[in-house]
Amino acid sequence: MPTENDFNSLDNLACSTDVHLQILTPTQAIRLRSKLIGVDAGRSIILAHGNDKAWAAAAPFIRERQSVIMRVVNSDEQDANILAFRSSIQKVISVVGRWLIIDYPKALQTVALRQHSRIPINVSASLICTTSNEVVSKGDLRDISIKGGAFVGEEIAGFKLDSQYKLLVSLDEQNETIEALVTLKNQQEVEGQAGQIQYGVILEAEATEAETMVQKVILHHLLQNPKH
């Protein structure tokens, strides 16, 4: 259950904060990027109406009472977090500006991005040799934190502890690829999944770079797996 502090975080989001908006249709989930114009606490959330190709394609679905999912990274606190909720479009305004008015949520999901907090995810990824750039294992990231996480995939031939690889994650909805240097600290067989090995990975990146990567990966996971 969300706490009062969670709603305070939503109410106090800075203007121009990036917003990930997902429009729910019977056949597909349309993903859009927007900017926060402001929050009328307890009543509504005002977003900028975009003007790129994705927004143009989504035009038939941008109407009153249309169901949406909104997600935003709140980085203004000591521990950044991701806020997410399901709502509906209250009004589309095009007179004083191109705005979307979203109903204020009654329920809120939050994911804290604390340094040592392992967050369960399921995101396709690959491990790549740092010298040959060959893929040595295809699999999934199963959890992640600012420090590292768990990768489950094909067994790496000739694996050695503390060896380094490049971790590659493709963020399809953003046409973006994340690449990070990781050190593999351990390996163990995955129960009930023949031929699958779990590797503990440590992110070899500065704190701010690691935090940005983790935020993007978690948002990608949430966009793939919306909670209705």
Side-chain angles (χ1 to χ4, degrees), residues 19-30:
V19 173
H20 298 257
L21 196 65
Q22 189 168 340
I23 297 180
L24 304 175
T25 76
T27 57
Q28 61 179 325
I30 300 170

Side-chain angles (χ1 to χ4, degrees), residues 15-74:
C15 294
S16 297
T17 296
D18 287 328
V19 173
H20 298 257
L21 196 65
Q22 189 168 340
I23 297 180
L24 304 175
T25 76
T27 57
Q28 61 179 325
I30 300 170
R31 297 174 180 124
L32 302 169
R33 300 289 291 274
S34 180
K35 294 280 188 182
L36 182 72
I37 301 297
V39 178
D40 185 0
R43 296 186 179 185
S44 58
I45 293 165
I46 307 168
L47 304 179
H49 189 301
N51 56 9
D52 59 17
K53 291 181 180 178
W55 279 89
F61 302 101
I62 299 175
R63 56 180 184 264
E64 293 180 11
R65 295 186 296 279
Q66 171 66 52
S67 293
V68 297
I69 292 175
M70 177 176 150
R71 297 180 178 87
V72 59
V73 176
N74 177 19

Side-chain angles (χ1 to χ4, degrees), residues 63-150:
R63 56 180 184 264
E64 293 180 11
R65 295 186 296 279
Q66 171 66 52
S67 293
V68 297
I69 292 175
M70 177 176 150
R71 297 180 178 87
V72 59
V73 176
N74 177 19
S75 300
D76 288 341
E77 299 179 348
Q78 185 174 1
D79 288 318
N81 55 26
I82 293 175
L83 307 175
F85 61 86
R86 180 169 177 163
S87 186
S88 58
I89 296 174
Q90 189 181 110
K91 191 176 286 292
V92 182
I93 295 179
S94 57
V95 179
V96 294
R98 302 196 72 197
W99 297 348
L100 284 187
I101 312 298
I102 307 296
D103 285 332
Y104 193 86
K106 295 178 181 178
L108 193 64
Q109 296 177 46
T110 61
V111 177
L113 299 176
R114 296 186 181 91
Q115 191 170 40
H116 300 292
S117 175
R118 287 290 185 98
I119 299 165
I121 59 172
N122 190 24
V123 174
S124 296
S126 299
L127 290 175
I128 298 172
C129 179
T130 56
T131 53
S132 67
N133 280 328
E134 293 181 3
V135 176
V136 296
S137 181
K138 291 182 179 180
D140 303 284
L141 274 174
R142 296 292 174 86
D143 67 48
I144 196 166
S145 74
I146 304 300
K147 287 292 188 181

